[in-house]
Amino acid sequence: QQKLPGWRPVPTITSTTIIFFCFGAVFIVLGVIILVFSNQIEEVSFRYDEECRMQKEKNNNNNCIITLNIKNTMKPKIMIYYQLNGFYQNHRRYVKSKSDEQLHGKEFTLEEMKNSQDCDPAITNDDMGQTKSFLGNDLKGGDLAVPCGLIAKSFFNDKFTNWKIDGKQFTPNENDIAWKADKELKYKNTNNLEKQWINMTDEHFIVWMRPAGLPNFRKLWGRIEQQIEENSNVEVTIEDNFNVTSFNGQKYLILSTVNAFGGKNSFLGISYIVLGGISIILAVVFIIGYNIH
């Protein structure tokens, strides 16, 4: 029988304690660094669903105007997010209700889509509540919706327009907000645009079609590529179309700067610090337990 050399490390109380101390120290240092970077982020949020509801009742139209007060200077690039609370994009039936091939530009008949059950239960234009194509022509209610499915049906359709900083109008950049792989590989229009109720290469649509894992989530809407000075007011007109009252949801508009670690997020830093603290406590417990024994 062939005998192969092998390395079998035997952990001792000393080596185990050192390892736990080292891991604990590394985790705490990482956590502190992440928290410091996170605290450097400037962020302003405004819950607008209630404000828009009151303005709609008063003015009898879907448009409302909100003002975000910028207390500290925000340097570009400033990300514009919309946030939904209480919307479960991670529901299994919801996530499965789409046709990847259709979103890639392949054309199907109504019967083919019904047989595949990819878009069930939102298959026809009537199911989707769509009567016009994005080019403006009428759609037949019984025809196959392009695109179909629950994710597309629930597309976030609030519009943010007429941006002003202290009364001076500017235009945010709404390009390059979707993943490059999604734009180039996953989403294409069909050859018959008159049957599409939405442009499937619209980046706002592409961003929405990537489901969030939690019920409270943010999605990128655009960027402000100019500095906003402290004590400034950012005014925006919102076309309030997306109904959140049916599921007791909330809508926010958020402006946030970013750095090497992304946007503002204290959870990761706190998690590292807690994990590091637990590792050091375990190391101390090992030493005390060994000496008592």
Side-chain angles (χ1 to χ4, degrees):
Q1 183 179 359
Q2 184 180 12
K3 295 183 178 179
L4 298 175
W7 180 60
R8 296 182 180 179
V10 179
T12 64
I13 188 64
T14 302
S15 63
T16 302
T17 302
I18 291 173
I19 290 172
F20 271 81
F21 263 120
C22 290
F23 273 105
V26 169
F27 285 146
I28 289 175
V29 170
L30 281 174
V32 171
I33 292 173
I34 293 172
L35 277 180
V36 169
F37 273 86
S38 178
N39 290 332
Q40 292 175 351
I41 298 294
E42 294 294 338
E43 182 176 293
V44 178
S45 65
F46 188 99
R47 180 181 175 183
Y48 69 87
D49 54 292
E50 292 182 335
E51 175 67 21
C52 285
R53 192 178 303 122
M54 289 188 293
Q55 290 191 31
K56 284 164 66 176
E57 292 175 355
K58 181 179 179 180
N59 301 326
N60 197 28
N61 62 51
N62 276 1
N63 291 336
C64 67
I65 299 174
I66 66 169
T67 301
L68 295 90
N69 301 312
I70 311 300
K71 295 182 180 179
N72 300 314
T73 299
M74 301 182 76
K75 297 181 179 180
K77 295 180 179 178
I78 303 166
M79 302 300 180
I80 305 172
Y81 299 96
Y82 60 86
Q83 176 174 318
L84 291 178
N85 288 358
F87 190 95
Y88 288 83
Q89 269 200 319
N90 56 359
H91 192 283
R92 182 174 178 271
R93 191 182 191 191
Y94 180 89
V95 172
K96 290 182 63 179
S97 184
K98 66 175 181 176
S99 171
D100 290 326
E101 290 182 299
Q102 186 191 51
L103 293 169
H104 192 61
K106 184 176 179 180
E107 296 187 35
F108 291 88
T109 65
L110 179 60
E111 290 303 318
E112 287 174 337
M113 190 59 70
K114 285 182 176 180
N115 291 334
S116 70
Q117 297 184 338
D118 286 341
C119 288
D120 187 64
I123 300 176
T124 66
N125 288 319
D126 281 341
D127 295 334
M128 301 287 287
Q130 300 297 332
T131 59
K132 295 281 186 179
S133 76
F134 77 96
L135 297 179
N137 57 284
D138 293 331
L139 295 173
K140 295 181 180 179
D143 285 352
L144 173 66
V146 183
C148 58
L150 291 176
I151 307 179
K153 180 179 181 178
S154 62
F155 172 58
F156 182 83
N157 57 350
D158 282 1
K159 296 180 180 179
F160 307 106
T161 59
N162 198 27
W163 291 80
K164 296 178 182 178
I165 299 178
D166 292 334
K168 296 180 179 179
Q169 196 156 0
F170 71 98
T171 303
N173 183 2
E174 300 176 46
N175 299 318
D176 297 324
I177 60 173
W179 290 18
K180 185 176 180 181
D182 287 351
K183 290 193 297 180
E184 295 181 354
L185 302 177
K186 290 188 176 182
Y187 293 88
K188 294 181 180 179
N189 287 321
T190 63
N191 293 325
N192 193 349
L193 297 180
E194 293 184 352
K195 290 190 175 182
Q196 286 185 211
W197 61 270
I198 195 170
N199 178 4
M200 292 193 292
T201 61
D202 177 14
E203 291 195 50
H204 293 298
F205 176 74
I206 294 173
V207 169
W208 177 259
M209 291 298 293
R210 182 171 285 275
L214 297 173
N216 301 339
F217 58 86
R218 297 178 181 181
K219 289 186 182 286
L220 183 61
W221 185 87
R223 299 178 184 86
I224 299 175
E225 297 179 338
Q226 66 185 77
Q227 183 165 304
I228 304 177
E229 302 296 338
E230 61 181 345
N231 300 320
S232 297
N233 292 320
V234 176
E235 182 182 288
V236 57
T237 300
I238 301 176
E239 186 178 315
D240 185 30
N241 300 314
F242 193 84
N243 182 17
V244 295
T245 56
S246 59
F247 55 91
N248 295 321
Q250 300 172 352
K251 296 189 291 187
Y252 291 82
L253 182 64
I254 298 168
L255 304 183
S256 175
T257 59
V258 293
N259 56 29
F261 288 92
K264 194 175 187 67
N265 184 3
S266 301
F267 176 77
L268 186 60
I270 294 172
S271 299
Y272 271 114
I273 292 173
V274 170
L275 186 58
I278 292 173
S279 296
I280 291 176
I281 290 172
L282 287 175
V284 173
V285 170
F286 289 153
I287 294 174
I288 295 175
Y290 178 76
N291 290 331
I292 293 175
H293 180 71

